Amino acid sequence: MRLIDGKKIAADIRVSLRHEISQLVGRKPHLALVIVGDHPASLSYIRGKKNACLEIGLLSSVIELPTEIAEKSLLEKIDELNKNPLIDGILVQMPLPKHIREYKVTAAIAPEKDVDGFHPLNIGKLLLGEEGGFIPCTPKGIFVLLQTMQIPVQGKHVVIVGRSNIVGKPLAALLVQKKTGCNATVTLAHSQSAHLEKLTRSADILVAAMGSPLFIRQEMIKPGSAIIDVGINRTKEGKLVGDVDFEHVAPLAEWITPVPGGVGPMTIAMLMQNTLEGYKKTLKRPS
């Protein structure tokens, strides 16, 4: 079994980004982090992203808005950030209060500043295999992990358990592309999939992204496969665990990501990378 150390790989990427940013002449890239309300997990995620910006030399601004803010007012704030030439990336922390429609907020962010990669235009470019759009951070991070560890993808069967718009769907769209490091046969499975265990046992690469603690058991994997665990769950005892029963699955796997320290650090590293790309796009746009 070979551990996929996402923490180390992400750290190496941050070192590279820090070096590139230190060489920039003029202003530094600037990420706007928008948070609505005071949900503890969301506040923690924002702090982590702000600290990552600080570490590599990115500028960041945290815009804290009250839970009761009207959807119209939030959209106006996003429009203001869209028009600000000094802002290169905009991230609105999810989830949002129930009275605000997430799809409206996602679509309101300018595609060239949508460093989360969820704007319909960016998702469309990903699906069509076109260049120039942002790839969502977690799928992009998984792709980089597979490449860095030299895990064969071309012609392999990738089974993704979880059909979210954040991970499952965009990752499937990415790995199926006719590009280097992709060309996989992808099965997108979920809670309603018949014969799920049969599907997961056929996977050369199994991605667990359903948000169910320890769901993937030893008998559900093919020996010698690569296991990518996207899940982050907290047990009653306060322990962080993934969607994979790591203790029992790891001995059978050829490669496996731990939780924590696997996919999570890569997601933030890709956000930093996307923000730098957004900065480069800003410089190319006519003023």
Side-chain angles (χ1 to χ4, degrees):
M1 184 271 291
R2 295 161 66 186
L3 195 69
I4 303 173
D5 191 346
K7 190 174 181 180
K8 181 184 184 306
I9 295 169
D12 291 342
I13 291 169
R14 292 198 305 271
V15 168
S16 176
L17 290 172
R18 183 166 64 242
H19 175 73
E20 185 173 352
I21 291 167
S22 71
Q23 303 301 307
L24 296 175
V25 177
R27 72 174 186 87
K28 302 300 183 186
H30 194 153
L31 173 63
L33 299 160
V34 180
I35 181 167
V36 180
D38 56 358
H39 190 276
S42 293
L43 289 168
S44 176
Y45 290 140
I46 288 290
R47 279 196 301 272
K49 290 163 185 173
K50 184 174 178 61
N51 288 338
C53 288
L54 188 64
E55 179 192 344
I56 68 169
L58 280 177
L59 299 175
S60 66
S61 298
V62 178
I63 295 99
E64 299 183 50
L65 301 170
T67 305
E68 62 274 10
I69 189 172
E71 181 182 270
K72 182 174 181 289
S73 299
L74 175 56
L75 295 178
E76 287 171 352
K77 173 54 71 173
I78 291 171
D79 187 53
E80 181 185 313
L81 295 170
N82 284 338
K83 293 174 179 174
N84 187 338
L86 300 180
I87 297 294
D88 306 296
I90 302 169
L91 181 146
V92 179
Q93 185 64 46
M94 304 294 178
L96 292 167
K98 291 182 179 179
H99 67 280
I100 298 176
R101 294 166 291 180
E102 290 189 359
Y103 76 90
K104 290 284 287 185
V105 172
T106 300
I109 299 171
E112 65 273 15
K113 295 189 179 186
D114 168 42
V115 289
D116 248 348
F118 297 140
H119 188 282
L121 185 61
N122 285 320
I123 289 293
K125 284 184 176 181
L126 173 61
L127 190 61
L128 294 172
E130 292 185 7
E131 300 295 331
F134 287 112
I135 298 173
C137 300
T138 300
K140 186 178 181 182
I142 292 169
F143 174 75
V144 172
L145 283 180
L146 293 171
Q147 282 203 313
T148 303
M149 297 300 293
Q150 298 182 326
I151 298 172
V153 175
Q154 181 165 322
K156 301 299 183 179
H157 187 199
V158 178
V159 176
I160 304 166
V161 187
R163 52 181 165 178
S164 74
N165 293 330
I166 297 171
V167 181
K169 290 178 186 175
L171 180 60
L174 175 60
L175 294 183
V176 81
Q177 293 301 324
K178 195 174 182 180
K179 294 180 179 179
T180 302
C182 301
N183 289 296
T185 299
V186 180
T187 298
L188 188 57
H190 47 79
S191 60
Q192 302 301 308
S193 296
H195 312 297
L196 180 60
E197 189 170 320
K198 183 178 179 182
L199 287 173
T200 58
R201 282 185 62 84
S202 71
D204 300 303
I205 300 170
L206 177 61
V207 181
M210 75 291 292
S212 299
L214 310 179
F215 181 87
I216 301 295
R217 305 178 305 280
Q218 187 180 53
E219 63 269 22
M220 296 177 72
I221 76 155
K222 177 201 286 188
S225 58
I227 310 296
I228 308 296
D229 192 349
V230 184
I232 301 177
N233 313 282
R234 197 170 289 278
T235 65
K236 293 177 182 177
E237 297 75 30
K239 182 183 177 183
L240 278 179
V241 298
D243 289 351
V244 175
D245 182 358
F246 184 91
E247 181 183 351
H248 296 102
V249 168
L252 284 183
E254 178 70 21
W255 299 273
I256 190 168
T257 60
V259 174
V263 174
M266 293 299 296
T267 299
I268 293 183
M270 295 303 100
L271 174 64
M272 302 298 106
Q273 194 175 81
N274 280 355
T275 302
L276 180 56
E277 288 178 18
Y279 167 83
K280 292 173 182 177
K281 290 178 183 180
T282 301
L283 294 184
K284 289 178 181 178
R285 288 198 303 274
S287 56

